[in-house]
């Protein structure tokens, strides 16, 4: 199976693309999260911001261990291929689509599935029903084909058929560099 050729960045059109709540610092991030009252993002647990900061630090460290060269303290988030579920998080969603081949392996990491889900499955014994060997890890571009061959590309059909795939909604990409992002900041969708 070939991996998708595009990354998709979903966002609330009112706020614009390429914004990460953690880039503002802990206190501001908490204030913003507390003000979100509509859409899926309003249903986050009370400790979500603390979890997000800790997870981004962990992912960045793993990326560096695997030879990545992040140029940001926090990543921009994408899905590998389109994901209608991620689009549903927003009241008035927008999307920016970027060819995967515009990124180098030093700029981007991946988790299977969403990073929060992947690391929760890895860390929490009570979630072992859903755990896969790929959870709790990051992957580089050159590892994508093998990852998809081994675990498949998450799809709605797969979610319905197998309980163990219930939370595998997409492969998440974390972009650790502004170079490509800057070329797409003003793209209208």
């Amino acid at each position: 199976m070939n991996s998708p050729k595009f990354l998709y960045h979903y966002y609330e059109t009112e706020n614009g693309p390429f914004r990460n709540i953690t880039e503002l610092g802990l206190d501001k991030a908490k204030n913003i999260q507390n003000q979100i009252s509509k859409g899926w993002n309003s249903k986050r647990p009370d400790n979500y911001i603390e979890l997000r900061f800790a997870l981004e630090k962990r992912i960045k460290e793993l990326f560096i261990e695997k030879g990545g060269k992040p140029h940001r303290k926090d990543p921009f988030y994408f899905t590998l291929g389109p994901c209608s579920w991620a689009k549903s998080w927003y009241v008035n969603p927008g999307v920016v689509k970027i060819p995967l081949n515009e990124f180098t392996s030093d700029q981007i990491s991946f988790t299977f599935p969403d990073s929060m889900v992947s690391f929760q499955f890895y860390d929490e014994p009570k979630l072992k029903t859903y755990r896969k060997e790929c959870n709790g890890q990051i992957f580089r571009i050159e590892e994508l084909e093998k990852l998809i061959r081994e675990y498949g590309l998450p799809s709605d059909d797969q979610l319905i058929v197998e309980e163990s795939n219930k939370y595998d909604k997409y492969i998440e990409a974390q972009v650790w560099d502004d170079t490509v992002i800057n070329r797409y900041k003003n793209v209208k969708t």
Side-chain angles (χ1 to χ4, degrees):
M1 169 181 275
N2 292 325
S3 66
K5 304 296 183 217
F6 290 89
L7 297 180
Y8 290 74
H9 173 73
Y10 298 98
Y11 62 94
E12 187 64 56
T13 54
E14 179 181 311
N15 299 326
F18 307 118
R19 300 179 64 144
N20 186 341
I21 197 166
T22 59
E23 70 187 348
L24 304 172
L26 184 63
D27 291 335
K28 284 185 182 178
K30 283 181 175 181
N31 286 337
I32 289 170
Q33 183 61 45
N34 290 336
Q35 292 173 26
I36 299 172
S37 62
K38 295 179 185 169
W40 190 83
N41 285 326
S42 68
K43 298 174 178 83
R44 304 267 189 200
D46 291 341
N47 64 342
Y48 172 76
I49 296 298
E50 289 86 352
L51 291 172
R52 174 56 59 198
F53 271 92
L55 182 59
E56 284 182 358
K57 182 178 187 282
R58 189 171 172 187
I59 292 171
K60 185 176 184 179
E61 288 169 356
L62 289 171
F63 184 47
I64 291 168
E65 283 176 23
K66 284 188 112 174
K69 295 179 175 52
H71 291 238
R72 294 180 50 83
K73 66 180 173 114
D74 55 344
F76 294 112
Y77 293 95
F78 290 80
T79 62
L80 179 63
C83 179
S84 58
W85 185 72
K87 190 176 182 179
S88 76
W89 299 348
Y90 303 98
V91 175
N92 189 14
V95 63
V96 176
K97 179 178 163 184
I98 302 177
L100 180 59
N101 66 7
E102 289 201 32
F103 297 96
T104 67
S105 188
D106 290 344
Q107 297 172 312
I108 190 169
S109 57
F110 298 87
T111 56
F112 186 104
D114 172 270
S115 55
M116 286 289 254
V117 172
S118 180
F119 282 83
Q120 284 177 334
F121 289 170
Y122 180 78
D123 292 338
E124 295 289 334
K126 67 183 178 185
L127 298 173
K128 69 180 182 181
T129 301
Y130 305 107
R131 187 179 305 140
K132 296 175 177 59
E133 294 223 7
C134 62
N135 295 144
Q137 298 183 53
I138 64 99
F139 298 89
R140 308 258 321 254
I141 287 176
E142 57 272 15
E143 298 173 296
L144 277 179
E145 287 293 333
K146 182 179 182 211
L147 178 69
I148 292 169
R149 242 188 344 268
E150 200 163 324
Y151 297 98
L153 190 61
S155 70
D156 290 338
D157 293 340
Q158 193 179 30
L159 301 174
I160 294 165
V161 175
E162 297 177 44
E163 174 69 17
S164 63
N165 294 327
K166 170 178 180 172
Y167 298 101
D168 297 352
K169 299 189 183 289
Y170 57 89
I171 294 175
E172 182 182 276
Q174 304 92 30
V175 174
W176 297 95
D177 191 292
D178 292 309
T179 307
V180 175
I181 301 304
N182 287 337
R183 293 197 301 263
Y184 287 86
K185 278 193 171 175
N186 297 317
V187 171
K188 302 290 182 207
T189 58

